[in-house]
Amino acid sequence: MKRAFSQAPLFRVLLPFLVGISIAILYVKPNQLYISGLVASFAGVILYAYYRFRVAKNYRLRWVGGFGISMLLFSLGVFCVALNKLNIRPDFFAKNIKPGDSLMVQITDPLQVKDKSIRAIARVTGVGSVNSVKPASGKLVLYFQIDSGLKYPSYGDVLFITAGINEIKPPDNPGEFDYSHYMASQNIYHTSYLKPNDWTICAQNNGNQFWKVIYDIRNRLKTDIEDALPGRDEKGIAEALVFGEK
């Protein structure tokens, strides 16, 4: 086993890198970027000492160099995940929004109809007022209050919303499902509940045309399922199997 492992240099390089990625995804922390820098600095010190003081010539201490390289690759994996986190960017909307500010967002997924609201994922493109919108980044979950007289937005539509945002909190009870961690793995940290007067459609059909066709086909399939299975339980099971929705 040891011999096979030593003969697979690519695996030996990828293993600590993938471990760093996995740990960064499983344990979502806001200071991952600093942690990766700290680990990389520690690995740099080890490697400097390893080559500076000729430790590499000592066969019994050759593992020190391998350990330093593994630490460096581990920190690189953590760094790659942290770099993809939207909430560490300077233009993250939650860092720049002020009392009274509004958000400009774009719907990035098909709307999901729930019992008491309509759910949508949106990408934030700007923050400010109607006359002065500054570019911003981030994602959030929108919950639209159900109103039979309203025409709701669809994929690709751009909205201007005036409602406040709420941070997704971790669970209070130990062992409870951590919804905040689940959403953080998707780069989503906030929600907003919208009443009919809290949002306005600024532009329509601004999404990727390829995904628009895919979502149109998906919506037609959902309509066919609803027509074929009028029962709520049967329809729910069919949608869960076909679309992965609850």
Side-chain angles (χ1 to χ4, degrees):
M1 182 68 181
K2 183 177 180 181
R3 180 180 177 84
F5 185 76
S6 63
Q7 293 179 349
L10 181 61
F11 177 76
R12 294 165 62 185
V13 169
L14 286 178
L15 182 60
F17 178 70
L18 295 176
V19 169
I21 291 177
S22 302
I23 290 179
I25 292 175
L26 291 174
Y27 300 96
V28 180
K29 300 295 181 183
N31 55 351
Q32 286 179 342
L33 201 60
Y34 304 103
I35 293 175
S36 66
L38 185 64
V39 175
S41 300
F42 179 66
V45 171
I46 292 177
L47 291 174
Y48 174 78
Y50 180 74
Y51 290 104
R52 176 66 177 81
F53 299 106
R54 301 181 180 181
V55 180
K57 293 185 176 182
N58 189 332
Y59 182 81
R60 299 182 61 181
L61 296 177
R62 290 181 64 182
W63 64 269
V64 175
F67 176 75
I69 293 174
S70 297
M71 292 285 288
L72 195 62
L73 292 169
F74 173 85
S75 66
L76 181 61
V78 176
F79 177 77
C80 289
V81 174
L83 201 62
N84 191 47
K85 297 295 182 182
L86 297 178
N87 63 337
I88 68 172
R89 297 183 179 178
D91 64 344
F92 183 60
F93 73 94
K95 294 180 179 179
N96 297 284
I97 194 169
K98 301 175 183 177
D101 279 350
S102 302
L103 295 175
M104 184 168 286
V105 303
Q106 182 179 29
I107 304 298
T108 59
D109 290 274
L111 275 64
Q112 298 179 14
V113 180
K114 304 296 182 181
D115 293 335
K116 298 181 180 180
S117 62
I118 297 177
R119 182 181 184 271
I121 305 296
R123 177 175 62 90
V124 179
T125 59
V127 58
S129 61
V130 178
N131 299 322
S132 177
V133 177
K134 298 179 180 179
S137 65
K139 297 167 64 178
L140 76 165
V141 182
L142 303 178
Y143 292 98
F144 295 90
Q145 184 180 19
I146 293 179
D147 189 324
S148 57
L150 284 178
K151 180 182 179 181
Y152 291 95
S154 57
Y155 166 76
D157 289 354
V158 178
L159 311 180
F160 194 76
I161 63 175
T162 58
I165 59 173
N166 302 300
E167 186 177 356
I168 302 176
K169 301 293 185 182
D172 296 327
N173 301 321
E176 185 180 352
F177 173 69
D178 193 345
Y179 180 70
S180 64
H181 183 277
Y182 169 73
M183 296 305 291
S185 66
Q186 304 178 50
N187 263 329
I188 300 176
Y189 306 91
H190 296 83
T191 65
S192 182
Y193 186 82
L194 304 176
K195 297 180 180 179
N197 295 328
D198 291 335
W199 58 275
T200 305
I201 297 179
C202 302
Q204 293 181 308
N205 196 24
N206 278 20
N208 184 286
Q209 292 302 310
F210 171 79
W211 285 110
K212 185 179 185 304
V213 172
I214 297 298
Y215 291 144
D216 287 343
I217 296 173
R218 180 178 180 273
N219 291 334
R220 287 199 292 270
L221 287 174
K222 291 189 70 172
T223 301
D224 292 340
I225 291 176
E226 291 175 358
D227 294 339
L229 301 172
R232 180 176 178 180
D233 293 339
E234 293 84 353
K235 183 183 72 175
I237 293 173
E239 290 183 351
L241 291 174
V242 177
F243 306 113
E245 293 182 359
K246 293 184 179 181

